Amino acid sequence: MMVSESKIEYLDTAFWATYESQGFKNAKLAIKYVLFNDDTEIDEKLKKLDKWQFISNINKGRELAKKLNQKDLMHILIKFCFQYFAFLNCPFKIDHEKYLELKDNVFPTMALTTDEIVEFVVFASLIGVDEAYILLSTHNDVVMALVDLFIHERYFLKKNKEYDDFKEISYPRMKMKEYEKFIEKYNNLDWEFSFLKRKDVNYS
């Protein structure tokens, strides 16, 4: 429970198993539909089927996908945001006032670019993991924008190793205090999420 590596391996296996049997487009649709409840691109007739059938069980992909709890998925997305923002290597543009303004927006994605959405989630995480989790739980448009970016980066561009190997920014362009807070939070994400998961009696 302490680290997310095993859970992201479950997601990787589910995606690549479905990719192997159905191609990239259908693998993307399957992950979005089955794990993130996005049925916007699913034919109405297909919605009547058991949704787990959309994920292939090659290499136990379907079986592993079923082990992913919502908190695991939010954990993976938030950790990805930190990594992606680190690779952008830019200073924070969002301040606390702007964050609160965006948080109160019913559809914050309409006011933000993809990179700004990532920064928005990272900023929330710096306030607290609970804050970021609640943010994603209440803004599905933010979640789906991140899922699209995650799939593009990790599976289409195949940057999974680059993301998994990330440790620190060699020459950060953030202010030093901001960077120290950023990297400390990143290094503690797994531990903080393990605590969040332990508080959930339904987590397994």
Side-chain angles (χ1 to χ4, degrees), residues 93-94 98-99 101-103 105 107-121 135 141-142 145:
K93 299 186 181 81
I94 295 177
K98 181 66 173 177
Y99 170 74
E101 177 188 328
L102 291 168
K103 181 182 173 183
N105 191 326
F107 294 108
T109 52
M110 294 182 70
L112 298 171
T113 66
T114 302
D115 290 354
E116 288 169 340
I117 292 169
V118 169
E119 182 181 351
F120 178 43
V121 174
L135 173 74
D141 60 324
V142 173

Side-chain angles (χ1 to χ4, degrees), residues 4-5 7-9 11-12 31-32 35-38 68-86 114-115 117-125 129 132-133 135-155 163-164 182 186 189-190 193 197:
S4 62
E5 281 78 1
K7 294 300 174 75
I8 202 165
E9 286 175 4
L11 184 54
D12 287 346
I31 293 300
K32 292 175 67 175
L35 297 180
F36 294 94
N37 300 312
D38 178 19
L68 291 166
N69 178 281
Q70 186 198 30
K71 286 187 172 64
D72 294 322
L73 296 169
M74 297 305 104
H75 183 176
I76 288 168
L77 287 181
I78 290 170
K79 194 167 187 178
F80 165 74
C81 284
F82 273 79
Q83 295 162 342
Y84 184 88
F85 192 66
T114 302
D115 290 354
I117 292 169
V118 169
E119 182 181 351
F120 178 43
V121 174
V122 170
F123 195 95
S125 303
V129 163
Y133 179 75
L135 173 74
L136 293 181
S137 298
T138 54
H139 288 290
N140 191 58
D141 60 324
V142 173
V143 172
M144 296 320 302
L146 294 177
V147 172
D148 282 337
L149 181 62
F150 176 89
I151 290 174
H152 180 76
E153 291 284 309
R154 190 168 186 89
Y155 304 130
Y163 281 96
D164 292 343
F182 171 88
Y186 175 73
L189 275 178
D190 291 338
F193 255 100
K197 293 168 185 176

Side-chain angles (χ1 to χ4, degrees), residues 159-176:
K159 291 184 178 180
N160 54 302
K161 189 174 188 305
E162 184 177 352
Y163 281 96
D164 292 343
D165 290 347
F166 172 73
K167 296 290 189 296
E168 60 183 3
I169 305 174
S170 299
Y171 301 101
R173 294 173 60 200
M174 301 176 201
K175 295 176 182 177
M176 189 48 63

